[in-house]
Each structure stands twice: as structure tokens, then as C-alpha cells.
Amino acid sequence: MGISPSKRVKSSLSNSPEFDSACNSTFSHCLSLTEHGFDGVFPFQLATASDHLYQTLHDDAAPHPLVLKWVSSPPTRSQVDSALRAVTRSDSDSETTLRSPQFKQWAVELFAGAVVANARKDLMVRVPIGVAGIAGLGAASRSGKDLVGTAIGVYALGVAAAVYLGLQ
């Protein structure tokens, strides 16, 4: 299948005009909260920025399909902090604020992580339920274990492929 799911999602978000617009809008919103007294967003503002970004990406005017499909609630504070650590870890000098490019990098990291985590959860729910159903049908019909094993493998591969392809 090629590229890893997180890289695929990050690429999709980075190249999306809707996501770019939402990031710019949220960055401007955060600057307005500090009355444009600073040239970036403070780490303590990121939870609010995350909620604002989520709302913007779910807005009827310009919804982002990946976020709409896979992120049913705003990212948690833990996810916000994890994305901040991932972005600031690569910087040699630790700034007190995130400027626009770094803010967008943080947003991509945050929402890519949320999308991939929710896709994994979906996969972990769908596969066992289907496997149990196939195994139950195989036992009820007294099918051979090779046939049931093959059916389970094909089903699991199909679900994994469907989830992976849904990350575009």
C-alpha cells in the first residue's frame, strides 16, 4: 500500500486548502485574543486553538472530509500537548510562541494523530466483530477450518484496506 497512514494523512492535511484556511483563521483568532501584542500563539492558547480549529473544520461552509469522517470530537488536552512536543522537539531554540508556519505544523500533527488514532479504533472494533461472525457461521455450518481461516483473513485484509483507503 506504500506510504504509512500517518504520513498519508499529514500529506492530505498539509496540501488541503480547507485545512490551510482553517489554520490561518485560527491563528488570527488566537492573535486577536492577545490583541496582536505578540507575533505568535502561546502554548497555553493551544487547547482553545484546537477547539476553534475543530469547529472551523466541521463548519458547513468548508468542512474537511478527513476530519469530518474520523474526528468526532475536539482533540484532548493530551493530544494537544503531544503534538506540541512533536513540533518543538525538532527546534533547537525553544520559543515561547508558535509562529504561523510552526502553528500549521502543530495543527497538522494534532489532527493527523487524531485521525489515525480514530481509524485504528475503528479497525480494532470492526475486525473482531467480523471475525467472530465468520467463525460463528463456520462453526454452525461445520465448514472446514481452512475455509473459515481463509474467510477471516480475507475479511480482515479487506477491512484494513478499506480503512487505509478512507484516509485520503
Side-chain angles (χ1 to χ4, degrees):
M1 288 186 197
I3 192 168
S4 74
S6 62
K7 287 182 182 176
R8 185 180 184 115
V9 172
K10 284 180 184 178
S11 173
S12 177
L13 291 174
S14 295
N15 298 328
S16 167
E18 296 93 358
F19 192 80
D20 200 35
S21 174
C23 284
N24 291 337
S25 168
T26 301
F27 186 78
S28 295
H29 172 74
C30 290
L31 290 181
S32 71
L33 291 175
T34 60
E35 298 178 355
H36 298 276
F38 303 95
D39 58 352
V41 176
F42 287 98
F44 68 83
Q45 291 179 289
L46 294 178
T48 303
S50 168
D51 293 343
H52 187 271
L53 196 53
Y54 173 81
Q55 279 304 107
T56 304
L57 291 169
H58 269 85
D59 188 18
D60 291 335
H64 191 279
L66 270 179
V67 176
L68 201 56
K69 180 176 182 178
W70 293 108
V71 185
S72 58
S73 62
T76 64
R77 181 62 191 214
S78 172
Q79 291 171 313
V80 169
D81 293 341
S82 178
L84 177 62
R85 281 190 301 275
V87 169
T88 57
R89 184 178 332 147
S90 62
D91 285 346
S92 57
D93 58 345
S94 58
E95 296 183 32
T96 57
T97 61
L98 298 178
R99 292 198 168 96
S100 185
Q102 199 175 27
F103 180 81
K104 183 177 179 190
Q105 184 183 2
W106 166 81
V108 167
E109 187 74 33
L110 175 67
F111 280 91
V115 166
V116 170
N118 287 333
R120 281 188 187 131
K121 285 180 192 174
D122 187 49
L123 192 62
M124 297 310 287
V125 168
R126 289 171 61 184
V127 170
I129 290 172
V131 166
I134 292 169
L137 286 173
S141 66
R142 298 180 191 257
S143 300
K145 64 180 178 182
D146 291 338
L147 178 64
V148 172
T150 301
I152 287 173
V154 168
Y155 172 77
L157 184 61
V159 170
V163 169
Y164 179 78
L165 292 173
L167 295 176
Q168 296 188 42

